[in-house]
């Protein structure tokens, strides 16, 4: 049986790989802006916080960038240093969409309420979860009962992050929190308040939520009930 620490490390690597996948404009200490990019997205891909990107490149709110613009980044060296110990660890499997678990197999609840401003994407470098906008200090809840396997801010681009293991197959991740209310190894109930919403390593107040099945990020909207309703399973 894999230990909770190993599960957490596998997910951490998965998040890092998802943040860098498909990026052909990132080389060394510079990044070339592509169509559809935002500072938030570039932060995810390069491991440079939004605050640092803005400061290093003289960009002021509302953080407008242009296609073809070359930005200074500093994520490469730090990412390699922080991921060096993880280099030998990889997610245990990659589950094709045709083999995702059936809807209703497990009971999930919304981790918070608000407008979904970024949806899940299967494209390389796409969003591997959903982003939900809200107010600073808004409650974040565990989407299901489980055990906390990671609490921290070591993964650049995700801010204050919580990961919860729900079984050998499922893990949920909650990023950009303001206040963290749980500890590593703690058991949590479904619907238990685990954090408050913030904007750590993000360009606006939001929750980035991931649902992972056997280390593969799957679309949370496929498995969550209608927002505002109580799960019936």
């Amino acid at each position: 049986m894999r230990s909770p620490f190993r599960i957490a490390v596998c997910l951490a690597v998965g998040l890092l790989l998802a943040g860098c996948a498909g990026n052909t404009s990132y080389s060394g200490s510079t990044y070339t802006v592509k169509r559809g990019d935002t500072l938030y997205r570039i932060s995810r891909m390069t491991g440079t916080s939004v605050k640092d990107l803005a400061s290093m490149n003289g960009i002021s709110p509302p953080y407008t960038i242009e296609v073809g613009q070359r930005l200074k980044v500093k994520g490469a060296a730090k990412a390699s240093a922080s991921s060096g110990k993880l280099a030998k660890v990889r997610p245990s499997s990659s589950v094709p969409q045709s083999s995702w678990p059936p809807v209703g197999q497990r009971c999930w609840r919304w981790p918070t309420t608000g407008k979904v401003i970024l949806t899940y994407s299967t494209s390389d470098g796409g969003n591997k979860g959903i982003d939900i906008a809200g107010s600073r200090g808004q409650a974040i809840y565990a989407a299901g009962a489980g055990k906390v396997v990671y609490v921290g801010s070591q993964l650049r681009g995700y801010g204050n992050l919580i990961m919860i293991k729900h079984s050998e197959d499922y893990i949920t991740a909650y990023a950009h929190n303001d206040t963290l209310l749980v500890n590593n190894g703690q058991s949590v109930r479904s619907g238990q308040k685990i954090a408050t919403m913030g904007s750590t390593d993000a360009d606006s107040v939001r929750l980035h939520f991931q649902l992972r099945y056997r280390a593969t990020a799957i679309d949370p909207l496929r498995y969550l009930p209608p927002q505002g309703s109580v799960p019936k399973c």
Side-chain angles (χ1 to χ4, degrees):
M1 180 179 296
R2 291 171 293 175
S3 69
F5 175 75
R6 180 176 175 80
I7 292 289
V9 171
C10 286
L11 179 56
V13 174
L15 290 171
L16 289 171
L17 294 177
C20 298
N23 176 27
T24 59
S25 301
Y26 178 36
S27 176
S29 59
T30 62
Y31 177 89
T32 303
V33 177
K34 305 188 301 299
R35 185 177 301 278
D37 277 342
T38 64
L39 280 193
Y40 175 64
R41 175 182 168 84
I42 295 169
S43 169
R44 287 276 187 84
M45 289 188 287
T46 64
T48 309
S49 70
V50 171
K51 180 179 179 180
D52 286 342
L53 281 171
S55 176
M56 293 167 63
N57 294 281
I59 302 173
S60 302
Y63 303 123
T64 301
I65 54 178
E66 299 178 355
V67 174
Q69 182 177 352
R70 292 176 66 84
L71 301 179
K72 297 176 183 177
V73 299
K74 65 177 185 179
K78 292 194 175 184
S80 61
S82 62
S83 61
K85 296 180 181 179
L86 306 179
K88 297 181 181 179
V89 184
R90 290 294 181 268
S92 58
S93 60
S94 180
V95 180
Q97 191 166 353
S98 60
S99 299
W100 285 5
V103 175
Q105 184 182 75
R106 286 188 64 95
C107 188
W108 302 106
R109 61 159 291 160
W110 279 80
T112 194
T113 58
K115 181 180 180 180
V116 176
I117 54 175
L118 279 178
T119 56
Y120 174 90
S121 172
T122 57
S123 64
D124 287 344
N127 197 39
K128 298 310 175 187
I130 57 173
D131 286 33
I132 307 168
S135 303
R136 188 175 305 279
Q138 182 173 321
I140 305 298
Y141 304 101
K147 187 173 184 178
V148 178
V149 292
Y150 179 87
V151 176
S153 58
Q154 286 77 20
L155 294 181
R156 295 181 67 87
Y158 293 89
N160 293 329
L161 175 67
I162 295 173
M163 302 179 194
I164 299 175
K165 176 186 175 185
H166 303 279
S167 69
E168 287 301 311
D169 289 335
Y170 291 97
I171 286 183
T172 53
Y174 313 74
H176 308 308
N177 301 296
D178 187 7
T179 304
L180 303 174
L181 303 176
V182 291
N183 301 308
N184 283 310
Q186 180 177 339
S187 294
V188 295
R189 306 179 306 278
S190 177
Q192 180 176 333
K193 185 176 179 180
I194 59 173
T196 60
M197 189 180 293
S199 57
T200 52
D201 270 355
D203 57 4
S204 63
V205 177
R206 65 180 69 198
L207 170 69
H208 174 71
F209 174 70
Q210 289 194 13
L211 173 61
R212 288 190 168 244
Y213 175 69
R214 297 179 181 173
T216 296
I218 58 179
D219 185 0
L221 291 180
R222 183 173 179 175
Y223 299 94
L224 292 171
Q227 191 168 179
S229 66
V230 178
K232 297 180 180 180
C233 51

